[in-house]
């Protein structure tokens, strides 16, 4: 029994990695054979070369982007928690504002972004605002929906035990909403880097977005891909960290 | 009287609807009595207990506990739902001590108080386990233990064994009877299982279709302790027949 589950785990870990490696090798081969120009599609080996060559510069840009993303992510969490608790407490507010929230999500943020630049300038503020906007929605939705399905009978049980409202909140509502909350966080944290990158496209001193723009403007496809690789790796790492934190905080929540 | 319902009526008001649920209920329960309440589903049985636990807090008439009106009384009553309502995020130990914690006990003291009961409730060795790792029967026993940890001599049960299969249900009934003996608890027990009601109770109150009124109040004269074979005795079956008729 034990052995078979551990081999399944091993398979889960190894197979995707193996697949990606093969894919990279295959791409390398195809580009080599078809003799595709580097400015159209660079070989993976060139991209790796660029990553190594530009590592100091890229590191600086990466740090900037992570800072913006995390700052925005944390602010989005705080806002989402406050707003969802209020909407859960006052159903009328939820009735009015929840649909508005959903509608607001259909506005293409990329179209509004230049305006943000006018409002908030070329500094970090614009980037953080964009990140907050993209992260806020998945978190607030997970919280609002999660709070709405907390078992009323469990709350009634607490009432029958003459529990104070604060106890009901801390001992039932908060833990009950945790799994949904973490699902929202995982989505949001992967958006956060994207949000920061998009905001940087508009103009910035430093960041993976501005590096990307420069790479595109000078037709350095290898630099562009190097940048993309970093965006992916950072996003996945952040996702993993949140996932890990969730498992540590919710030892009862197994599966999925 | 330990518990007294005096002319209790309850109507739920919706946005443009009224649901008359309880209609002039009068019930008296003596200290130490085990009273079952049966009635068609949706007639208002659960509502009766919701009034007592103040989960629902507006109604007509009065409910007295030990002679004191519910509104003035700060008496705790212990309440168990059909669902075990164990909190998935608390271990069994933390679930069963919840009533003690809420009444202001320190964690350490609460753990100490509950310690001797794990064995009695067939839960020893499972203290640190999360509820989703337990079988339905064990979860229900844990819920029962939590119900016993409420510092109150009045216990309300709302179809506590309805979701349990027949074999385990009988075990739990037996278990409840044993646990109640010598504890001098006053019990209101809702069930839709007539046999269960007869087997456990000193008295059975039959409610009508909604809006519920009391249509029968039957004293069960079977001797105690109750034993399995009594379910097949003539007296038992006579009561059963009468109750089935009353419900029709
Ligand atoms: N909080 C409530 N608000 C509105 N209607 C309710 C509420 N609680 C119960 N009811 C209604 O009252 C009736 C009796 O419910 P209940 O007491 O749960 O019945 P029973 O437990 O006998 O099956 C049902 O029609 C139910 O829909
Ligand atoms: Mg009911």
């Amino acid at each position: 029994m034990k052995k078979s589950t551990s081999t399944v785990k091993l398979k889960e870990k190894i197979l995707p990695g193996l697949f990606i490696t093969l894919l990279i090798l295959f791409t390398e081969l195809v580009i080599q054979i078809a003799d595709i120009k580097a400015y159209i599609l660079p070989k993976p080996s060139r991209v790796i070369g660029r990553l190594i060559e530009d590592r100091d510069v890229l590191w600086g840009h990466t740090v900037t982007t992570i800072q913006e993303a995390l700052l925005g992510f944390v602010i989005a969490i705080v806002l989402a928690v406050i707003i969802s608790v209020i909407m859960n407490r006052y159903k009328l507010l939820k009735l009015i504002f929840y649909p508005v929230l959903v509608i607001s999500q259909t506005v293409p943020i990329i179209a509004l972004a230049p305006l943000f630049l006018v409002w908030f300038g070329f500094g970090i503020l614009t980037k953080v605002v964009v990140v907050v906007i993209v992260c806020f929605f998945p978190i607030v939705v997970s919280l609002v929906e999660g709070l709405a399905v907390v078992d009323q009978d469990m709350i009634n049980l607490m009432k029958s035990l003459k529990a104070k409202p604060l106890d009901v909140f801390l001992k039932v509502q908060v833990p009950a909403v945790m799994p949904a909350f973490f699902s929202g966080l995982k989505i949001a944290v992967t958006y956060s880097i994207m949000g920061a990158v998009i905001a940087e496209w508009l103009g910035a001193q430093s960041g993976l977005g501005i590096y990307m723009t420069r790479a595109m403007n000078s037709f350095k496809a290898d630099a562009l891909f190097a940048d993309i690789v970093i965006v992916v790796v950072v996003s996945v790492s952040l996702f993993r960290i949140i996932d890990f934190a969730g498992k540590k905080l919710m030892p009862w929540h197994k599966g999925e | 009287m330990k518990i007294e319902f005096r002319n209790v009526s309850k109507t739920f008001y919706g946005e443009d609807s009224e649901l008359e649920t309880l209609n002039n209920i009068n019930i008296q329960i003596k200290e130490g009595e085990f009273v079952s309440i049966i009635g068609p589903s949706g007639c208002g049985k659960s509502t009766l207990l919701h009034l007592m636990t103040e989960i629902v807090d507006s109604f007509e008439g009065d409910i007295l506990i030990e002679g004191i009106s519910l509104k003035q009384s700060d008496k705790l009553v212990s309440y168990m739902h059909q669902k075990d309502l164990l909190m998935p995020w608390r271990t069994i130990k933390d679930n069963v001590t919840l009533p003690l914690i809420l009444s202001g006990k320190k964690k350490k003291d609460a753990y100490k108080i509950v310690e001797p009961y794990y064995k009695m409730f067939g839960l020893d060795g499972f203290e640190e386990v999360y509820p989703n790792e337990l079988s339905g029967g064990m979860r229900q026993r844990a819920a029962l233990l939590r119900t016993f940890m409420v510092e109150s001599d009045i216990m309300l049960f709302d179809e506590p064994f309805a979701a349990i299969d027949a074999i385990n249900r009988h075990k739990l009934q037996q278990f409840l009877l044993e646990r109640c003996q010598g504890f001098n608890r006053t019990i209101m027990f809702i069930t839709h299982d007539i046999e269960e009601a007869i087997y456990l109770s000193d008295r059975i109150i039959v409610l009508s279709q909604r809006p519920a009124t009391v249509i029968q109040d039957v004293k069960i004269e079977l001797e105690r302790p109750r034993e399995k074979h009594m379910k097949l005795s003539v007296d038992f079956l006579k009561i059963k027949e009468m109750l089935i008729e009353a419900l029709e």
Side-chain angles (χ1 to χ4, degrees):
Chain A
M1 278 291 270
K2 240 194 181 135
K3 197 173 169 206
S4 73
T5 56
S6 71
T7 41
V8 168
K9 279 240 172 81
L10 214 61
K11 268 189 196 162
E12 269 175 24
K13 288 219 167 99
I14 288 178
L15 285 182
L18 201 67
F19 175 70
I20 291 170
T21 314
L22 285 177
L23 199 67
I24 291 170
L25 288 176
F26 180 73
T27 318
E28 180 88 21
L29 214 66
V30 170
I31 296 173
Q32 175 77 41
I33 292 166
D35 196 21
I36 298 172
K37 295 275 180 304
Y39 69 88
I40 295 178
L41 192 63
K43 281 187 215 157
S45 59
R46 260 193 91 124
V47 175
I48 294 167
R50 172 65 69 182
L51 274 171
I52 296 168
E53 208 174 298
D54 272 6
R55 62 182 179 278
D56 291 336
V57 179
L58 279 167
W59 176 247
H61 289 304
T62 308
V63 169
T64 306
T65 303
I66 291 181
Q67 277 170 349
E68 294 160 357
L70 289 187
L71 189 56
F73 181 60
V74 170
I75 294 173
I77 294 176
V78 174
L79 285 178
V81 167
I82 294 172
I83 287 177
S84 60
V85 167
I86 292 174
M87 283 208 276
N88 186 58
R89 179 76 185 70
Y90 303 99
K91 294 283 147 42
L92 187 66
L93 289 182
K94 181 177 168 186
L95 209 70
I96 297 169
F97 287 113
Y98 198 49
V100 177
L101 218 75
V102 176
I103 293 167
S104 74
Q105 273 310 292
T106 61
V107 177
I109 194 152
I110 193 90
L112 281 183
L115 210 55
F116 289 164
L117 221 52
V118 177
W119 294 345
F120 305 119
F122 282 88
I124 190 171
L125 189 57
T126 302
K127 287 86 185 172
V128 173
V129 168
V130 172
V131 174
V132 169
I133 289 173
V134 296
C135 289
F136 174 74
F137 187 69
I139 304 175
V140 86
V141 168
S142 66
L143 283 172
V144 169
E145 308 272 318
L147 282 171
V149 299
V150 174
D151 192 343
Q152 186 59 42
D153 291 324
M154 211 173 260
I155 295 174
N156 285 346
L157 175 79
M158 292 291 281
K159 279 192 197 161
S160 85
L161 293 169
K162 305 241 191 295
K164 296 181 208 73
L166 186 65
D167 273 325
V168 176
F169 182 69
L170 292 179
K171 292 191 164 65
V172 178
Q173 287 170 310
V174 169
V177 86
M178 288 283 269
F181 179 53
F182 269 87
S183 305
L185 285 187
K186 280 192 270 186
I187 297 171
V189 85
T190 34
Y191 285 180
S192 69
I193 295 290
M194 275 297 303
V197 167
I198 290 172
E200 287 163 359
W201 281 352
L202 306 164
Q205 252 92 62
S206 156
L208 290 170
I210 200 69
Y211 182 88
M212 211 179 262
T213 322
R214 286 177 195 153
M216 282 190 281
N217 289 344
S218 51
F219 297 101
K220 284 201 245 162
D222 54 347
L224 177 65
F225 275 91
D227 194 302
I228 291 172
V229 168
I230 294 175
V231 167
V232 170
V233 169
V234 171
S235 298
V236 170
S237 306
L238 289 177
F239 178 91
R240 286 280 177 84
I241 290 169
I242 299 291
D243 193 41
F244 180 77
K247 290 202 170 107
K248 278 280 159 251
L249 278 171
M250 303 178 287
W252 74 88
H253 188 67
K254 303 236 168 83
E256 287 166 280
Chain B
M1 278 305 140
K2 194 73 177 176
I3 304 169
E4 198 173 349
F5 286 73
R6 271 194 202 156
N7 307 322
V8 171
S9 298
K10 172 71 196 172
T11 304
F12 287 109
Y13 295 96
E15 263 160 40
D16 42 24
S17 64
E18 284 182 16
L19 195 73
E20 221 189 320
T21 304
L22 301 176
N23 178 20
N24 202 28
I25 300 276
N26 285 288
I27 300 174
Q28 299 191 325
I29 298 173
K30 286 201 279 288
E31 176 152 14
E33 227 181 347
F34 193 127
V35 176
S36 283
I37 294 170
I38 59 176
S41 90
C43 76
K45 301 183 294 295
S46 298
T47 303
L48 217 54
L49 298 193
H50 287 166
L51 297 185
M52 278 207 66
T53 52
E54 294 179 271
I55 290 168
V56 171
D57 56 20
S58 73
F59 60 94
E60 291 145 55
D62 204 1
I63 299 176
L64 305 171
I65 297 181
E66 294 165 351
I68 301 169
S69 173
L70 200 61
K71 297 258 150 59
Q72 272 86 55
S73 166
D74 55 2
K75 170 117 188 164
L76 207 57
V77 295
S78 142
Y79 166 68
M80 180 168 166
H81 195 271
Q82 170 178 341
K83 293 189 273 178
D84 58 63
L85 298 181
L86 295 173
M87 296 175 185
W89 45 87
R90 295 176 89 94
T91 59
I92 292 303
K93 187 167 151 185
D94 286 322
N95 263 294
V96 297
T97 50
L98 180 68
L100 298 167
I101 299 291
L102 287 178
S103 73
K105 292 249 175 348
K106 291 218 179 62
K107 247 188 179 173
K108 219 175 64 196
D109 299 332
Y111 290 158
K112 206 168 270 163
I113 292 172
V114 77
E115 196 59 51
Y117 292 93
Y118 290 120
K119 197 152 205 161
M120 204 187 282
F121 283 74
L123 292 166
D124 53 336
F126 294 91
E127 295 89 335
E128 308 292 343
V129 160
Y130 287 102
N132 60 8
E133 296 169 53
L134 296 186
S135 68
M138 282 186 97
R139 294 173 58 116
Q140 214 61 9
R141 283 206 299 275
L144 206 52
L145 175 52
R146 182 188 56 203
T147 313
F148 273 86
M149 283 301 112
V150 181
E151 291 162 311
S152 170
D153 52 356
I154 296 178
M155 302 181 87
L156 313 175
F157 292 92
D158 194 346
E159 310 200 26
F161 309 140
I164 305 291
D165 62 86
I167 296 170
N168 277 308
R169 192 180 320 149
H170 179 79
K171 281 189 196 155
L172 283 166
Q173 289 166 1
Q174 206 59 40
F175 188 78
L176 179 63
L177 282 178
E178 285 161 18
R179 292 292 86 74
C180 290
Q181 247 137 44
F183 279 96
N184 197 32
R185 309 257 190 173
T186 307
I187 296 179
M188 276 176 85
F189 189 95
I190 289 178
T191 176
H192 61 244
D193 181 340
I194 296 176
E195 266 192 23
E196 179 172 85
I198 306 171
Y199 189 62
L200 298 175
S201 314
D202 299 312
R203 198 145 63 88
I204 298 178
I205 288 168
V206 185
L207 298 182
S208 68
Q209 295 276 10
R210 188 173 55 79
T213 53
V214 176
I215 50 177
Q216 286 251 18
D217 190 332
V218 187
K219 221 171 157 62
I220 308 298
E221 311 275 10
L222 300 172
E223 63 190 64
R224 288 194 186 265
R226 301 278 160 88
E227 273 154 33
K228 204 173 172 180
H229 65 82
M230 290 180 182
K231 285 189 178 176
L232 298 170
S233 72
V234 179
D235 288 343
F236 194 99
L237 295 175
K238 265 193 196 146
I239 302 171
K240 189 173 170 184
E241 192 182 358
M242 186 186 72
L243 289 172
I244 290 173
E245 252 165 45
L247 277 172
E248 269 167 4

